[in-house]
């Protein structure tokens, strides 16, 4: 899917999200988020991207935090995507190094995205916060 094509279905939104994320096109990525998005990433306090966000500036800072704290992905696999109406669940894993500690982590994740009218209205990441937190600990 081209980033110039506006997504319409939930599957289109998910495909556009991963295409834009993979390209590092943060402005186009932010265009996918609804102004009232419910954005939540649970995790330990030492994980910089954990927490709730509501504004596009906060979401932009979330995506920027990866480059500030992590090496480029050593591996990033989206294994399964299940779409049911407005809901999508994406299951996968990734591997990154932490710049501050030199440690790496493998993160198995499930991402729950809800979409309406071509926009992400809900973003809830479930990840291996223990493995990530351990990699951030000196």
């Amino acid at each position: 899917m081209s980033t110039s094509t506006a997504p319409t279905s939930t599957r289109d939104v998910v495909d556009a999200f991963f295409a834009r994320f993979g390209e590092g096109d943060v402005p186009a990525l932010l265009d996918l988020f609804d102004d009232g998005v419910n954005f939540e990433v649970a995790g330990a306090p030492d994980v910089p991207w954990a927490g709730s966000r509501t504004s596009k500036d906060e979401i932009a800072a979330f995506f920027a935090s990866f480059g500030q704290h992590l090496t480029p992905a050593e591996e990033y696999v989206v294994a399964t995507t299940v779409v049911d109406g407005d809901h999508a669940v994406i299951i996968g894993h990734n591997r990154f190094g932490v710049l501050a500690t030199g440690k790496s982590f493998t993160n198995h994740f499930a991402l729950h995205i809800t979409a309406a009218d071509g926009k992400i209205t809900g973003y809830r990441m479930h990840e291996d916060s223990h493995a990530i937190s351990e990699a951030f600990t000196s």
Side-chain angles (χ1 to χ4, degrees), residues 42-62:
D46 60 345
V47 176
W49 57 83
S52 298
R53 288 155 182 88
T54 55
S55 73
K56 289 198 180 181
D57 285 344
E58 291 173 327
I59 295 169
F62 165 82

Side-chain angles (χ1 to χ4, degrees), residues 63-80:
F63 288 109
S65 72
F66 298 134
Q68 296 163 356
H69 299 282
L70 303 176
T71 64
E74 297 168 17
E75 183 178 26
Y76 202 106
V77 176
V78 172
T80 303

Side-chain angles (χ1 to χ4, degrees), residues 13-26:
V13 170
V14 169
D15 289 347
F17 172 84
F18 280 101
R20 295 171 190 188
F21 179 73
E23 294 165 0
D25 189 348
V26 175

Side-chain angles (χ1 to χ4, degrees), residues 105-129:
F105 63 88
T106 298
N107 173 40
H108 295 271
F109 68 85
L111 173 59
H112 177 203
I113 290 177
T114 53
D117 300 322
K119 297 285 186 181
I120 296 172
T121 58
Y123 181 100
R124 182 170 295 271
M125 175 62 82
H126 305 275
E127 56 188 2
D128 189 345
S129 58

